[in-house]
């Protein structure tokens, strides 16, 4: 699973060819679409623009051994990301949260699997993500040609990934918990509901905290 995730990251990095202006504009648009504050938008937007430009310049610096050594540097980076991926917050967060919630929901429905088994099958369901590398390559073609057909292909690949992972997870849950497919599907739906509630509560807390910090920052700036 770590190799799959690291390969996907490598392909995405290699196919996501952008100029500095495009990269900065994308960051600013993302900020404008997500920011819902009533004050300080212009000031924060300027910080976002300067920060994105700095990130772009740093990410495009040549390796210390020179530009010719970039392929070797990319290979070593991929190896490091492969080894580190199973321990990153994104992977471990998904593994622990999804596995734990599915385990609790399955237990409520009479499941018999251990927590270790649920965490293992959660990692197994991550395997179809290797197709995200192909999706990144198709997305590069969309950006280069503007083809609507390639855009549809990208959506189809994403749908295949989602369905494949869902089928693996439902079947693996049923086998591990020793109950029917229908009950496994119900357990996963319960787990998703719990995750949505937890995410909504976390978003409210973060939004209120961030809004208060921005208001305090703007008040002091004035």
């Amino acid at each position: 699973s770590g190799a799959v995730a690291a390969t996907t990251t490598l392909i995405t990095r290699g196919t996501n060819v952008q100029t500095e202006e495009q990269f900065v504009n994308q960051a600013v648009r993302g900020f404008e679409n997500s920011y819902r504050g009533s004050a300080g938008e212009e000031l924060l937007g300027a910080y976002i623009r300067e920060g994105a430009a700095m990130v772009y310049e740093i990410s495009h610096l040549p390796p210390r051994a020179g530009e010719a050594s970039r392929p070797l540097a990319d290979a070593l980076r991929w190896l490091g990301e492969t080894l580190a991926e199973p321990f990153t917050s994104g992977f471990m967060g998904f593994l622990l949260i999804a596995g734990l919630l599915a385990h609790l929901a399955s237990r409520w429905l009479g499941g018999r699997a251990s927590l270790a088994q649920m965490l293992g099958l959660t990692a197994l369901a991550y395997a179809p993500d290797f197709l995200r590398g192909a999706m990144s390559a198709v997305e590069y073609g969309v950006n280069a040609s503007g083809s609507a057909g390639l855009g549809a292909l990208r959506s189809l690949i994403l749908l295949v990934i989602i369905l494949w992972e869902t089928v693996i997870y439902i079947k693996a849950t049923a086998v591990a918990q020793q109950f029917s497919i229908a009950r496994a599907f119900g357990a996963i739906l319960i787990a998703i509901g719990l995750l949505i509630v937890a995410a909504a509560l976390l978003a409210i807390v973060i939004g209120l905290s961030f809004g208060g910090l921005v208001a305090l920052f703007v008040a002091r700036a004035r």
Side-chain angles (χ1 to χ4, degrees):
S1 296
V4 167
T7 302
T8 300
T9 301
L10 181 65
I11 294 174
T12 301
R13 187 186 299 119
T15 57
N16 188 21
V17 180
Q18 292 178 308
T19 65
E20 181 174 353
E21 182 179 2
Q22 290 173 331
F23 182 83
V24 171
N25 289 339
Q26 182 179 4
V28 172
R29 284 196 302 271
F31 164 73
E32 292 174 346
N33 292 334
S34 61
Y35 182 69
R36 295 293 182 268
S38 58
E41 181 175 356
E42 183 177 351
L43 180 61
L44 290 174
Y47 286 149
I48 295 295
R49 182 176 295 277
E50 293 176 5
M54 185 182 301
V55 169
Y56 182 90
E57 292 174 2
I58 292 175
S59 64
H60 285 74
L61 289 174
R64 290 190 177 184
E67 188 64 36
S69 64
R70 188 178 293 277
L72 176 59
D74 288 341
L76 293 176
R77 178 185 296 175
W78 175 82
L79 179 59
E81 290 173 349
T82 296
L83 297 175
E85 181 65 26
F87 308 100
T88 59
S89 59
F91 186 88
M92 287 300 293
F94 166 77
L95 187 69
L96 294 176
I97 294 176
L100 179 60
L101 291 179
H103 182 65
L104 290 176
S106 297
R107 283 292 189 179
W108 293 338
L109 296 179
R112 299 180 180 180
S114 66
L115 179 58
Q117 287 175 311
M118 285 302 298
L119 294 179
L121 68 89
T122 302
L124 174 65
Y126 195 90
D129 265 34
F130 78 89
L131 287 176
R132 291 188 184 275
M135 193 170 69
S136 299
V138 172
E139 186 172 4
Y140 172 72
V142 172
N143 294 334
S145 64
S147 171
L150 289 177
L153 178 59
R154 180 188 181 279
S155 300
L156 177 61
I157 294 174
L158 179 60
L159 178 62
V160 169
I161 292 173
I162 294 173
L163 291 178
W164 194 355
E165 290 180 346
T166 301
V167 169
I168 290 176
Y169 206 69
I170 292 175
K171 178 63 176 177
T173 300
V175 171
Q177 299 291 349
Q178 301 179 34
F179 52 35
S180 66
I181 294 292
R183 190 174 292 186
F185 185 69
I188 292 172
L189 287 180
I190 293 173
I192 292 174
L194 293 174
L195 184 61
I196 291 174
V197 171
L201 293 175
L202 181 62
I204 292 173
V205 172
I206 293 177
L208 292 175
S209 301
F210 182 73
L213 290 174
V214 170
L216 179 62
F217 177 77
V218 172
R220 289 186 174 181
R222 290 178 177 175

